[in-house]
């Protein structure tokens, strides 16, 4: 099992461009979570998805950010018209189930987004 | 609101010395607490969770509800313990993890 995969590992964008971050969950996992980590801070929850459904997007900025997890293919976090403040590390995690005392979230290596 | 505080950004100790990484949380109910570790150039991985009451790599953590703490301890630090350590809280029957800012642990030879 290759674990949670994220690509690209590093992404550089100019202000106003779009950023697309991809996450492939572990085999057998159908729950995906996205977190953002700003410099010197802990991770902050953004969105929780299951296949073809957004379950909780309470941590997503209201504008420019969107996420999807299609029936086939990876989950995608999309940031339109990026601004310098979007520069951060974006982590994806997956789990077999959601909640529950035995559920563990497994993390990908993250995508470092730099907006120039 | 739920919150996790790791008061030390950086902790440096000598090899063989005891280590304690502090974690305090605020939550009025019964939380689940976790410690995650990120070694250099590796991904975040779960170190231990309070529900399991296990010891991993010599580390232990006890949930103290009276002090709302979940400090991570190891009696004798090893050089390979150098890493970033994150404390995280999950509200029971929820899935969101609430994270501390992390503590960088450096073990000096």
């Amino acid at each position: 099992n290759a674990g949670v995969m994220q690509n690209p590992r590093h992404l550089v964008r100019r202000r106003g461009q779009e950023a697309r971050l991809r996450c492939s969950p572990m085999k057998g996992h159908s729950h995906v979570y996205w977190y953002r980590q700003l410099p010197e801070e802990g991770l902050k929850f953004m969105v929780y998805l299951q296949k073809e459904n957004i379950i909780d997007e309470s941590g997503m900025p209201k504008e420019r950010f969107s996420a999807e997890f299609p029936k086939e293919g990876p989950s995608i976090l999309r940031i339109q018209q990026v601004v310098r403040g979007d520069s951060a590390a974006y982590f994806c995690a997956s789990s077999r189930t959601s909640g529950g005392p035995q559920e563990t979230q497994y993390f990908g290596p993250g995508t470092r987004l730099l907006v120039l | 609101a739920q919150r996790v505080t790791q008061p030390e950004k950086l902790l440096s100790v000598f090899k063989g010395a005891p280590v304690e990484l502090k974690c305090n949380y605020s939550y009025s109910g019964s939380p689940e607490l976790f410690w995650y570790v990120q070694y250099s150039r590796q991904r975040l991985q779960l170190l231990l969770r309070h529900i399991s009451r296990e010891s991993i790599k010599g580390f232990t953590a006890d949930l103290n509800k009276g002090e709302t703490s979940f400090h991570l301890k190891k009696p004798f630090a090893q050089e390979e313990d150098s890493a970033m350590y994150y404390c995280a809280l999950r509200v029971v029957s929820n899935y969101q993890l609430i994270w501390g800012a992390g503590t960088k642990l450096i073990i000096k030879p």
Side-chain angles (χ1 to χ4, degrees):
Chain A
N1 198 327
V4 179
M5 306 296 289
Q6 287 187 251
N7 68 81
R9 296 290 303 276
H10 300 273
L11 183 61
V12 180
R13 285 287 178 265
R14 297 191 179 280
R15 278 178 297 170
Q17 291 184 319
E18 178 180 286
R20 279 184 180 239
L21 289 64
R22 294 174 187 78
C23 169
S24 297
M26 284 179 69
K27 189 175 180 181
H29 287 192
S30 58
H31 301 256
V32 167
Y33 315 80
W34 285 93
Y35 295 86
R36 177 166 66 173
Q37 185 180 31
L38 297 172
E40 307 288 319
E41 295 186 16
L43 283 72
K44 295 282 194 301
F45 169 79
M46 298 182 75
V47 62
Y48 162 44
L49 310 103
Q50 295 180 28
K51 285 282 187 182
E52 300 185 277
N53 284 306
I54 297 174
I55 308 302
D56 181 353
E57 56 182 348
S58 59
M60 290 274 271
K62 294 286 183 263
E63 297 176 348
R64 303 187 297 107
F65 284 71
S66 62
E68 62 177 9
F69 189 15
K71 188 177 180 181
E72 301 291 337
S75 174
I76 295 176
L77 180 67
R78 182 181 177 209
I79 312 173
Q80 296 178 288
Q81 299 173 329
V82 295
V83 301
R84 289 219 174 107
D86 296 333
S87 295
Y90 292 83
F91 290 95
C92 168
S94 74
S95 66
R96 190 179 301 276
T97 62
S98 70
Q102 299 304 321
E103 179 262 321
T104 297
Q105 294 184 20
Y106 295 86
F107 281 79
T111 294
R112 269 78 179 168
L113 172 65
L114 176 62
V115 179
L116 302 176
Chain B
Q2 298 89 22
R3 188 182 185 128
V4 176
T5 303
Q6 292 179 252
E8 301 139 331
K9 279 190 175 180
L10 174 67
L11 183 62
S12 181
V13 301
F14 284 102
K15 176 182 171 181
V19 171
E20 182 179 54
L21 293 94
K22 292 186 169 53
C23 172
N24 290 89
Y25 67 91
S26 62
Y27 174 55
S28 56
S30 292
E32 283 185 69
L33 274 300
F34 303 81
W35 276 100
Y36 277 80
V37 61
Q38 188 172 29
Y39 300 104
S40 178
R41 302 189 182 190
Q42 295 187 29
R43 62 188 65 191
L44 268 168
Q45 54 187 285
L46 180 66
L47 180 62
L48 54 80
R49 56 202 303 165
H50 90 272
I51 273 181
S52 303
R53 303 185 67 80
E54 58 195 343
S55 173
I56 305 292
K57 299 184 179 183
F59 284 98
T60 59
D62 290 317
L63 177 60
N64 186 324
K65 290 187 178 181
E67 295 183 359
T68 59
S69 68
F70 189 55
H71 303 326
L72 184 68
K73 300 177 184 178
K74 184 169 182 175
F76 307 103
Q78 306 295 317
E79 285 187 70
E80 56 265 29
D81 296 329
S82 295
M84 279 295 296
Y85 290 81
Y86 294 93
C87 181
L89 158 74
R90 186 168 67 196
V91 171
V92 172
S93 71
N94 199 341
Y95 38 76
Q96 293 186 26
L97 288 172
I98 299 161
W99 298 78
T103 297
K104 184 172 184 177
L105 177 63
I106 296 175
I107 307 301
K108 296 179 285 189

